[in-house]
Amino acid sequence: MRIDLHCHSTASDGTDTPAELVRKAGAAGLDVVALTDHDTTRGYAEAIAALPEGLTLVTGAELSCRLDGVSMHMLAYLFDSEEPDLFAERELVRDDRVPRARGMIARLNELGVPVTWEQVARIAGDGSVGRPHVATALVELGVVATVSDAFTEQWLADGGRAFVEKHESDPFEAIRLIKGAGGVAVFAHPAAVKRGRTVPESAIAELAAAGLDGIEVDHMDHDPATRARLRGLAKELGLLTTGSSDYHGSRKTCVLGEYTTDPEVYGEITRRATGAFPVPGAGGAR
Ligand code: AMP
Ligand code: ZN
Ligand code: FE
Ligand code: FE
């Protein structure tokens, strides 16, 4: 069983539509794929409609959180997408991405970069708008060579010259809301140092005490020593450990199924979840 529990589509900042994503996941030989767009569930219907036979979809989202000034991401799986409290929080975070993107564009304009909201909005389409869309605009304008190159102090990295914060949820509140909606909460790439500051192990222990289910360990942004440390911490704290690609289509270098989750851990996630069931592919529209 090959299980990839963290993927993005055009519903946020991936480059494959939800339908393309599940078709590629099927073609890549995955058995289970999770759709975890940033702060939105908008891609579900299209992914389900296109789901190939033999592939199971885990519905999810990656929620933007902040703890003591440090941005962090919380993966939520198999929650009830219509539960009103989590829905309202998701909407708050997602909607704030628009004025925030406009703010970053204004900063870039001050720095002499002629990027416009119209350009970024075209790139984002109907996906929840984020820095990768602004970064793509910078690539189009020839300011940087790649999306990754825009994530520097000079441009869009946390604290960078054109960086603007967005509203982000308190992770303890996020865990409470995810659980309240019958979901399972997994802290995404908790030690991805190249993305900026990370939270201390003591905070992970506090989140675990507050009901966190697991941490993402096998991820491209964790080196082998970091993975070993996180695995030890998870064991100590009784947390599940997952692995996933964090696939973003052509906006990142990782490929589908690059890292995967142990079938036993996947089984435990599905047993804990009460908000939604995994969706087995039935052939799908091709
Ligand atoms: P935002 O949610 O708008 O603040 O944008 C954060 C997203 O940017 C992350 O979820 C990643 O998908 C992407 N990202 C962060 N750092 C990098 C990087 N160094 N290279 C490429 N993409 C990145
Ligand atoms: Zn992303
Ligand atoms: Fe993330
Ligand atoms: Fe992600």
Side-chain angles (χ1 to χ4, degrees), residues 55-238:
L55 178 68
T56 293
L57 179 74
V58 167
T59 50
E62 186 175 17
L63 307 176
S64 307
C65 298
R66 184 155 61 225
L67 183 61
D68 297 331
V70 179
S71 286
M72 52 170 284
H73 292 169
M74 189 69 72
L75 290 161
Y77 296 116
L78 300 171
F79 56 87
D80 173 0
S81 61
E82 284 170 28
E83 190 282 319
D85 293 343
L86 180 56
F87 185 94
E89 183 68 15
R90 225 164 41 238
E91 218 169 37
L92 189 69
V93 177
R94 196 181 59 238
D95 290 353
D96 193 53
R97 285 171 165 278
V98 172
R100 181 260 198 154
R102 285 181 177 275
M104 290 193 289
I105 289 163
R107 294 262 175 100
L108 288 164
N109 292 161
E110 282 164 25
L111 292 166
V113 178
V115 58
T116 63
W117 166 248
E118 287 65 33
Q119 184 187 5
V120 172
R122 168 179 58 74
I123 293 163
D126 57 8
S128 57
V129 62
R131 278 183 283 172
H133 300 119
V134 180
T136 299
L138 295 183
V139 173
E140 283 186 2
L141 291 165
V143 174
V144 291
T146 69
V147 166
S148 246
D149 290 341
F151 284 85
T152 60
E153 289 298 299
Q154 203 185 354
W155 304 113
L156 300 173
D158 286 15
R161 293 190 303 168
F163 174 71
V164 174
E165 282 186 347
K166 61 183 180 297
H167 175 82
E168 295 177 315
S169 308
D170 173 273
F172 292 94
E173 175 69 359
I175 290 171
R176 197 183 67 74
L177 291 169
I178 292 164
K179 304 290 222 181
V184 173
V186 173
F187 187 170
H189 45 76
V193 286
K194 75 160 206 192
R195 292 167 181 241
R197 289 165 62 209
T198 58
V199 305
E201 287 191 0
S202 58
I204 299 180
E206 284 167 28
L207 293 166
L212 180 70
D213 290 284
I215 55 176
E216 191 179 50
V217 170
D218 292 310
H219 184 282
M220 65 181 301
D221 292 347
H222 294 155
D223 62 24
T226 301
R227 287 178 210 175
R229 175 174 69 78
L230 288 173
R231 241 181 275 284
L233 181 67
K235 198 166 181 197
E236 209 177 286
L237 298 174

Side-chain angles (χ1 to χ4, degrees), residues 18-20 22-23 45-53 281-286:
E20 286 164 352
V22 294
R23 285 186 202 122
E46 187 187 317
I48 290 168
L51 202 59
E53 206 173 337
R286 271 162 205 274

